[in-house]
Short mmCIF file of all heavy atoms in Angstrom, two decimals:
data_model
loop_
_atom_site.label_atom_id
_atom_site.label_comp_id
_atom_site.label_asym_id
_atom_site.label_seq_id
_atom_site.Cartn_x
_atom_site.Cartn_y
_atom_site.Cartn_z
N VAL Y 1 -6.26 -2.84 -1.50
CA VAL Y 1 -7.61 -3.41 -1.49
C VAL Y 1 -7.58 -4.94 -1.57
O VAL Y 1 -8.46 -5.62 -1.03
CB VAL Y 1 -8.44 -2.81 -2.65
CG1 VAL Y 1 -9.79 -3.50 -2.79
CG2 VAL Y 1 -8.64 -1.31 -2.43
N ALA Y 2 -6.58 -5.51 -2.24
CA ALA Y 2 -6.53 -6.95 -2.50
C ALA Y 2 -6.72 -7.84 -1.28
O ALA Y 2 -7.45 -8.85 -1.36
CB ALA Y 2 -5.22 -7.30 -3.21
N PRO Y 3 -6.11 -7.54 -0.12
CA PRO Y 3 -6.25 -8.44 1.03
C PRO Y 3 -7.68 -8.57 1.57
O PRO Y 3 -7.96 -9.47 2.36
CB PRO Y 3 -5.34 -7.81 2.09
CG PRO Y 3 -4.35 -7.00 1.32
CD PRO Y 3 -5.12 -6.48 0.16
N ARG Y 4 -8.58 -7.72 1.13
CA ARG Y 4 -9.96 -7.77 1.61
C ARG Y 4 -10.77 -8.86 0.90
O ARG Y 4 -11.90 -9.14 1.29
CB ARG Y 4 -10.66 -6.43 1.38
CG ARG Y 4 -9.92 -5.22 1.94
CD ARG Y 4 -10.64 -3.94 1.57
NE ARG Y 4 -9.78 -2.76 1.69
CZ ARG Y 4 -10.12 -1.54 1.32
NH1 ARG Y 4 -11.34 -1.33 0.81
NH2 ARG Y 4 -9.27 -0.52 1.46
N PHE Y 5 -10.21 -9.48 -0.15
CA PHE Y 5 -10.97 -10.41 -0.97
C PHE Y 5 -10.21 -11.71 -1.19
O PHE Y 5 -8.98 -11.75 -1.15
CB PHE Y 5 -11.30 -9.77 -2.33
CG PHE Y 5 -12.11 -8.51 -2.23
CD1 PHE Y 5 -11.49 -7.28 -2.16
CD2 PHE Y 5 -13.49 -8.57 -2.16
CE1 PHE Y 5 -12.22 -6.11 -2.04
CE2 PHE Y 5 -14.23 -7.41 -2.04
CZ PHE Y 5 -13.61 -6.18 -1.98
N THR Y 6 -10.96 -12.77 -1.44
CA THR Y 6 -10.37 -14.06 -1.78
C THR Y 6 -10.51 -14.38 -3.27
O THR Y 6 -9.88 -15.31 -3.76
CB THR Y 6 -11.03 -15.18 -0.97
OG1 THR Y 6 -12.45 -15.18 -1.22
CG2 THR Y 6 -10.78 -14.99 0.51
N ASP Y 7 -11.37 -13.63 -3.96
CA ASP Y 7 -11.49 -13.80 -5.40
C ASP Y 7 -11.98 -12.49 -6.00
O ASP Y 7 -12.31 -11.55 -5.29
CB ASP Y 7 -12.46 -14.94 -5.75
CG ASP Y 7 -13.88 -14.68 -5.25
OD1 ASP Y 7 -14.11 -13.66 -4.60
OD2 ASP Y 7 -14.76 -15.52 -5.52
N GLY Y 8 -12.01 -12.44 -7.32
CA GLY Y 8 -12.44 -11.24 -8.02
C GLY Y 8 -11.31 -10.61 -8.81
O GLY Y 8 -10.17 -11.09 -8.81
N LEU Y 9 -11.63 -9.53 -9.48
CA LEU Y 9 -10.69 -8.81 -10.33
C LEU Y 9 -10.66 -7.35 -9.89
O LEU Y 9 -11.66 -6.65 -9.98
CB LEU Y 9 -11.11 -8.92 -11.79
CG LEU Y 9 -10.16 -8.28 -12.79
CD1 LEU Y 9 -8.94 -9.16 -13.00
CD2 LEU Y 9 -10.86 -8.02 -14.10
N ILE Y 10 -9.52 -6.91 -9.39
CA ILE Y 10 -9.39 -5.53 -8.91
C ILE Y 10 -8.92 -4.62 -10.04
O ILE Y 10 -8.00 -4.96 -10.79
CB ILE Y 10 -8.41 -5.45 -7.73
CG1 ILE Y 10 -8.98 -6.19 -6.53
CG2 ILE Y 10 -8.12 -3.99 -7.35
CD1 ILE Y 10 -8.09 -6.21 -5.33
N VAL Y 11 -9.56 -3.47 -10.16
CA VAL Y 11 -9.16 -2.44 -11.11
C VAL Y 11 -8.82 -1.19 -10.31
O VAL Y 11 -9.65 -0.67 -9.56
CB VAL Y 11 -10.27 -2.13 -12.13
CG1 VAL Y 11 -9.86 -0.98 -13.04
CG2 VAL Y 11 -10.61 -3.36 -12.95
N ALA Y 12 -7.58 -0.71 -10.45
CA ALA Y 12 -7.15 0.50 -9.75
C ALA Y 12 -6.45 1.42 -10.75
O ALA Y 12 -5.85 0.97 -11.71
CB ALA Y 12 -6.20 0.15 -8.61
N CYS Y 13 -6.55 2.71 -10.49
CA CYS Y 13 -6.01 3.68 -11.44
C CYS Y 13 -5.50 4.92 -10.70
O CYS Y 13 -6.00 5.25 -9.62
CB CYS Y 13 -7.10 4.07 -12.44
SG CYS Y 13 -6.50 4.99 -13.88
N ASP Y 14 -4.52 5.58 -11.29
CA ASP Y 14 -4.06 6.86 -10.77
C ASP Y 14 -3.73 7.77 -11.93
O ASP Y 14 -3.16 7.33 -12.94
CB ASP Y 14 -2.83 6.69 -9.88
CG ASP Y 14 -2.53 7.96 -9.09
OD1 ASP Y 14 -3.15 8.15 -8.03
OD2 ASP Y 14 -1.71 8.78 -9.55
N THR Y 15 -4.11 9.05 -11.81
CA THR Y 15 -3.95 10.01 -12.90
C THR Y 15 -3.24 11.27 -12.41
O THR Y 15 -3.57 11.78 -11.33
CB THR Y 15 -5.32 10.40 -13.49
OG1 THR Y 15 -5.97 9.22 -13.97
CG2 THR Y 15 -5.17 11.39 -14.63
N VAL Y 16 -2.27 11.75 -13.18
CA VAL Y 16 -1.62 13.02 -12.90
C VAL Y 16 -1.49 13.81 -14.20
O VAL Y 16 -1.63 13.28 -15.30
CB VAL Y 16 -0.22 12.85 -12.27
CG1 VAL Y 16 -0.30 12.10 -10.94
CG2 VAL Y 16 0.75 12.18 -13.23
N VAL Y 17 -1.20 15.10 -14.04
CA VAL Y 17 -0.91 15.98 -15.17
C VAL Y 17 0.57 16.34 -15.10
O VAL Y 17 1.13 16.54 -14.01
CB VAL Y 17 -1.78 17.25 -15.12
CG1 VAL Y 17 -1.35 18.25 -16.19
CG2 VAL Y 17 -3.25 16.89 -15.28
N GLU Y 18 1.22 16.41 -16.27
CA GLU Y 18 2.63 16.79 -16.32
C GLU Y 18 2.81 17.92 -17.31
O GLU Y 18 2.31 17.87 -18.43
CB GLU Y 18 3.48 15.58 -16.73
CG GLU Y 18 4.98 15.87 -16.82
CD GLU Y 18 5.41 16.31 -18.21
OE1 GLU Y 18 4.76 15.86 -19.18
OE2 GLU Y 18 6.38 17.08 -18.32
N CYS Y 19 3.50 18.97 -16.87
CA CYS Y 19 3.77 20.12 -17.73
C CYS Y 19 5.23 20.53 -17.54
O CYS Y 19 5.63 20.89 -16.42
CB CYS Y 19 2.84 21.28 -17.39
SG CYS Y 19 3.03 22.73 -18.47
N ASP Y 20 6.01 20.46 -18.62
CA ASP Y 20 7.43 20.82 -18.55
C ASP Y 20 8.17 20.10 -17.42
O ASP Y 20 8.98 20.70 -16.72
CB ASP Y 20 7.60 22.33 -18.40
CG ASP Y 20 7.40 23.06 -19.72
OD1 ASP Y 20 7.32 22.38 -20.77
OD2 ASP Y 20 7.30 24.29 -19.71
N GLY Y 21 7.83 18.82 -17.22
CA GLY Y 21 8.51 18.03 -16.22
C GLY Y 21 7.97 18.16 -14.82
O GLY Y 21 8.40 17.44 -13.91
N GLN Y 22 7.04 19.07 -14.60
CA GLN Y 22 6.45 19.24 -13.27
C GLN Y 22 5.16 18.43 -13.17
O GLN Y 22 4.27 18.53 -14.03
CB GLN Y 22 6.16 20.70 -12.99
CG GLN Y 22 5.65 20.94 -11.57
CD GLN Y 22 5.77 22.39 -11.14
OE1 GLN Y 22 6.48 23.17 -11.77
NE2 GLN Y 22 5.08 22.76 -10.08
N ILE Y 23 5.05 17.61 -12.13
CA ILE Y 23 3.89 16.76 -11.92
C ILE Y 23 2.84 17.49 -11.11
O ILE Y 23 3.12 18.03 -10.03
CB ILE Y 23 4.30 15.46 -11.21
CG1 ILE Y 23 5.27 14.66 -12.09
CG2 ILE Y 23 3.07 14.61 -10.88
CD1 ILE Y 23 5.86 13.44 -11.40
N LEU Y 24 1.62 17.50 -11.62
CA LEU Y 24 0.50 18.16 -10.95
C LEU Y 24 -0.53 17.12 -10.56
O LEU Y 24 -1.14 16.48 -11.42
CB LEU Y 24 -0.14 19.22 -11.86
CG LEU Y 24 0.79 20.28 -12.44
CD1 LEU Y 24 0.02 21.20 -13.37
CD2 LEU Y 24 1.47 21.07 -11.34
N GLY Y 25 -0.74 16.96 -9.27
CA GLY Y 25 -1.78 16.05 -8.79
C GLY Y 25 -3.06 16.83 -8.51
O GLY Y 25 -3.39 17.79 -9.20
#
């Protein structure tokens, strides 16, 4: 997203679940 702007503050996030080493998206 950053290249679309010349100023501002970008907030980005990603969330996953993990159970016994297995990643669940």
